[in-house]
Amino acid sequence: MCSKLWNTRHAPEDVKPALMETLNDLQLDYLDLYLMHNPIAFQNGGSLVPYDSENNIMYADVHYKETWNEMEKLVDEGLVKAIGVSNFNSKQIEDICSNCRIKPAVLQVESHPYLPENELVMFCNEQDIVFEAYSPLCCGDKNDKFPGDLDLFSEPKLVEMAKKYNKTVAQIALRFQVQRNVVAIPKSVNPGRIAENFQIFDFTLDDKDFNTIKSSLPKWRVCVGAKKGPDNKPIIGEDGRPVARDLHHPLYAHYVPKESK
């Protein structure tokens, strides 16, 4: 059983109470895995995503290493068996490991054929950290559509592979992950598709196809918390994709410094 520590509960005094609420909700005595959802802390004021009057996120001045220290105590108390992180980059994980007692067991990030995260997978393998891919099918059912979006299920090279192996595009995408020892966690409420997602262990992508997915497809990050404008709608960049709301926050895993005026 796995759950996450949300961004508004990063303050040291909030970490254990947040977990206890989760355990109570799930009627459990412990979790197998507890993940810090994001390296960035939000202010804890009741709202899951707190905004000020100008639609800016209200961040909290809490470093993820402070939060990690409290998560280690949860392991000591037997409330969780293992702890990990989500949406972190390799430098941030190295930062945690430089002075922690318990290193992250899992890194959970977005990964799919348009975002293979090859270097991060290699880093996790070297550090003996399990790499877990969320949205391995590219959030195909997401409601918000933008001009710069791609369509995994009609990607020509993947469609061609699906015909070659007599599989679906979804099965090709999932097979790619498990073939490189990545844990993939697809989401579906359709019983047929759930069963289909397991039918990926009776074939192997050949080297050419594996390397095509690994290195030769367009790049697209789907799961971006969008910065909102005065009209409360996502701000769209020149590439036709939402501008990341945390883009200029120094703890954002894909941080971009603000240009000086």
Side-chain angles (χ1 to χ4, degrees):
M1 184 66 70
C2 171
S3 189
K4 287 184 172 182
L5 178 71
W6 181 243
N7 308 3
T8 56
R9 309 301 292 274
H10 279 209
E13 65 273 16
D14 288 335
V15 174
K16 183 176 179 180
L19 171 65
M20 298 310 295
E21 290 171 16
T22 296
L23 292 176
N24 182 64
D25 290 342
L26 297 174
Q27 299 182 36
L28 296 173
D29 296 322
Y30 69 90
L31 293 177
D32 297 297
L33 177 64
Y34 199 41
L35 302 177
M36 192 189 318
H37 177 71
N38 199 297
I40 300 172
F42 295 168
Q43 291 184 24
N44 186 5
S47 174
L48 287 176
V49 184
Y51 288 94
D52 64 18
S53 59
E54 297 181 352
N55 255 345
N56 296 309
I57 288 286
M58 298 170 67
Y59 297 111
D61 187 18
V62 182
H63 197 277
Y64 53 77
K65 287 195 289 188
E66 297 177 63
T67 309
W68 187 259
N69 289 340
E70 295 303 313
M71 292 179 67
E72 289 180 321
K73 295 175 184 178
L74 303 178
V75 178
D76 297 337
E77 294 183 45
L79 296 172
V80 299
K81 299 298 183 183
I83 49 179
V85 294
S86 182
N87 302 305
F88 277 59
N89 61 36
S90 57
K91 290 184 178 180
Q92 291 169 329
I93 295 175
E94 288 177 336
D95 191 25
I96 286 178
C97 291
S98 67
N99 66 347
C100 70
R101 292 186 295 108
I102 303 172
K103 78 174 188 178
V106 172
L107 168 64
Q108 185 192 90
V109 298
E110 176 187 347
S111 179
H112 42 74
Y114 291 137
L115 191 67
E117 293 284 17
N118 299 317
E119 293 183 3
L120 199 51
V121 170
M122 185 181 303
F123 168 82
C124 285
N125 289 338
E126 293 170 350
Q127 298 297 318
D128 196 26
I129 295 171
V130 174
F131 186 102
E132 185 174 80
Y134 69 72
S135 298
L137 301 180
C138 236
C139 290
D141 62 345
K142 74 188 187 78
N143 294 322
D144 296 328
K145 304 293 183 181
F146 302 101
D149 286 0
L150 301 176
D151 183 0
L152 183 79
F153 298 99
S154 62
E155 178 61 42
K157 292 179 180 178
L158 296 180
V159 171
E160 183 179 338
M161 290 181 204
K163 293 178 180 177
K164 173 180 176 180
Y165 295 98
N166 194 28
K167 293 290 182 178
T168 66
V169 168
Q171 289 171 324
I172 296 296
L174 294 175
R175 178 64 207 182
F176 167 70
Q177 299 289 13
V178 300
Q179 195 162 316
R180 59 184 188 150
N181 297 318
V182 165
V183 175
I185 48 173
K187 174 187 175 183
S188 180
V189 296
N190 183 302
R193 288 178 181 171
I194 292 172
E196 184 181 275
N197 289 342
F198 283 100
Q199 295 166 4
I200 59 173
F201 300 101
D202 57 351
F203 76 106
T204 300
L205 297 170
D206 63 33
D207 289 345
K208 178 177 179 295
D209 293 333
F210 181 85
N211 289 325
T212 293
I213 299 175
K214 186 177 179 181
S215 306
S216 300
L217 296 182
K219 297 298 178 279
W220 179 35
R221 186 178 303 281
V222 183
C223 303
V224 176
K227 184 175 180 62
K228 296 181 179 180
D231 58 359
N232 207 36
K233 294 182 179 180
I235 296 174
I236 307 302
E238 294 180 359
D239 60 357
R241 298 169 184 172
V243 175
R245 125 200 112 198
D246 302 320
L247 188 64
H248 303 307
H249 192 291
L251 296 186
Y252 181 52
H254 317 290
Y255 167 64
V256 175
K258 285 186 177 180
E259 295 182 3
S260 57
K261 296 182 179 180

